[in-house]
Amino acid sequence: MREIIFDTETTGLDSRDDRVIELGGVELVNRFPTGRTFHHYINPQGRPIHAEAQAVHGISAADLAGKPTFAEIAQEWLAFTEGARLVAHNATFDVGFLNVEFGRLGHPVIDNGRVVDTLALARRKHPMGPNSLDALCRRYGIDNARRTKHGALLDSELLAEVYIELIGGKQAALGLDSATAPAQGRENVRQIEIIVVQRPSPLPSRLSEAERDAHAGMVATLGEKALWLKVAAG
């Protein structure tokens, strides 16, 4: 099974007027990262970046000067995601923006049947929350120290780890044969070898009959001595 964990950054919150300015994704096959990624900064074609949005992702208009437009990266994205399930945190936001961008190009919208929303998964699994990406990283012990600002590729990488935890993928991965995992991920498959050690049979006694009688007498004496001590202490 092939999945693309992805994220977007935008000029603002209104998908009808604002534009996607960063798009990133990482590929999983059978819950293992393959090492394949997608990442582009995107020129918003004159659409200004809201101050509130820039405070979140830190991307300025100057950073996007000379970057490709969405139309110029669209086919590369479609090729990268072809046939894969799409996984995003608060997927309605990201998919909504991509659908508007594709609509401007006359391309069909994304089929909701291939979209997984990790925010919805997290809310079902942890109904008391919080369920932001940062909160889920803390819950699952995932290092997000690099995330001083939002970033599409970094957030996709962190979300991939969170997603695997949400679906119990690490435990499920133990049952996979290494031959079924992608070559880049096989080092993540733990193979467990169980060694059964049979208890050896008792060695035959090498004591003579006289020695066995002497040993039995000594044991009896110890038993009588222990009984006497108990009565004396009594």
Side-chain angles (χ1 to χ4, degrees):
M1 178 176 56
R2 185 167 172 269
E3 296 168 298
I4 302 298
I5 318 298
F6 79 99
D7 185 49
T8 65
E9 299 300 338
T10 65
T11 59
L13 299 178
D14 188 346
S15 61
R16 296 168 298 178
D17 296 319
D18 286 305
R19 304 297 297 268
V20 175
I21 56 175
E22 188 184 9
L23 179 57
V26 299
E27 181 185 61
L28 301 183
V29 174
N30 294 335
R31 312 298 196 219
F32 290 94
T34 66
R36 290 189 65 208
T37 63
F38 177 100
H39 182 246
H40 276 294
Y41 290 104
I42 301 167
N43 191 307
Q45 297 177 277
R47 179 67 187 175
I49 300 173
H50 294 276
E52 297 86 352
Q54 186 169 336
V56 171
H57 51 58
I59 303 171
S60 68
D63 295 327
L64 302 175
K67 300 301 182 184
T69 65
F70 190 88
E72 292 172 316
I73 63 95
Q75 287 302 319
E76 183 182 347
W77 173 253
L78 290 172
F80 182 70
T81 60
E82 184 177 8
R85 179 181 294 175
L86 300 175
V87 181
H89 202 63
N90 191 15
T92 301
F93 178 89
D94 301 284
V95 171
F97 265 90
L98 290 181
N99 279 339
V100 173
E101 293 285 3
F102 281 125
R104 294 187 179 106
L105 304 176
H107 191 278
V109 299
I110 296 169
D111 178 5
N112 284 331
R114 59 187 290 223
V115 177
V116 175
D117 187 352
T118 52
L119 180 57
L121 291 179
R123 284 172 173 169
R124 286 197 295 269
K125 189 168 185 177
H126 309 296
M128 301 304 292
N131 288 306
S132 67
L133 181 56
D134 282 331
L136 291 169
C137 284
R138 289 192 296 271
R139 179 185 292 275
Y140 292 122
I142 296 168
D143 183 8
N144 66 338
R146 297 174 295 159
R147 196 182 189 240
T148 56
K149 295 282 187 182
H150 290 212
L153 183 57
L154 173 60
D155 287 4
S156 296
E157 292 170 342
L158 292 173
L159 183 58
E161 295 187 64
V162 166
Y163 175 57
I164 291 171
E165 294 288 351
L166 282 172
I167 61 176
K170 286 185 177 177
Q171 290 75 16
L174 297 181
L176 290 175
D177 187 278
S178 60
T180 66
Q184 297 93 330
R186 287 181 187 170
E187 65 275 9
N188 295 323
V189 179
R190 289 190 292 169
Q191 296 185 4
I192 302 174
E193 181 181 3
I194 301 176
I195 301 174
V196 179
V197 179
Q198 184 177 1
R199 175 180 289 184
S201 301
L203 292 175
S205 176
R206 297 181 180 177
L207 298 177
S208 66
E209 184 175 350
E211 288 171 328
R212 286 198 298 272
D213 290 342
H215 180 266
M218 179 189 69
V219 170
T221 300
L222 291 175
E224 292 172 359
K225 183 177 181 182
L227 179 61
W228 179 85
L229 289 173
K230 182 177 180 180
V231 172

